[in-house]
Amino acid sequence: MEILANERMFTVLETALDNSTDYQEAVKAERKAYKKLKKTNLNDRQKALLDRVIDTSNHSNSIYGTIAYSQGFQDGMKLLSELKEIF
């Protein structure tokens, strides 16, 4: 089951993201915000701190997404199993 979940997360998901207008718009907005940030006059210490905040936020969001996807997959498998018992 884990192999199937990984296959879906890391191949099929990429295709879905490529085809998602919402995701593409979010990535575009992220790049635009980053370009604006680069034009600010933050000193090296402030830049390092901001990078750390962004990195830790991205990391926790990545873990959250992986766990949420896995939980949804497990819930779907459980539902299929329960439906199989009913029918």
Side-chain angles (χ1 to χ4, degrees), residues 66-76:
T66 300
I67 292 170
Y69 185 92
S70 180
Q71 185 61 52
F73 188 84
Q74 290 174 23
D75 291 346

Side-chain angles (χ1 to χ4, degrees), residues 74-87:
Q74 290 174 23
D75 291 346
M77 295 299 289
K78 183 177 179 183
L79 177 61
L80 285 174
S81 176
E82 290 172 0
L83 288 173
K84 188 176 180 181
E85 289 178 16
I86 294 172
F87 299 104

Side-chain angles (χ1 to χ4, degrees), residues 25-69:
E25 287 175 5
V27 169
K28 187 176 179 180
E30 178 184 359
R31 288 182 182 144
K32 185 177 178 180
Y34 182 73
K35 285 180 183 179
K36 284 183 180 181
L37 178 63
K38 285 178 68 173
K39 293 178 182 180
T40 64
N41 293 321
L42 297 177
N43 64 41
D44 289 343
R45 185 171 180 268
Q46 291 168 323
K47 288 177 185 177
L49 179 59
L50 182 58
D51 282 343
R52 180 75 177 136
V53 169
I54 292 169
D55 286 347
T56 56
S57 177
N58 286 342
H59 182 68
S60 65
N61 286 325
S62 175
I63 292 169
Y64 177 93
T66 300
I67 292 170
Y69 185 92

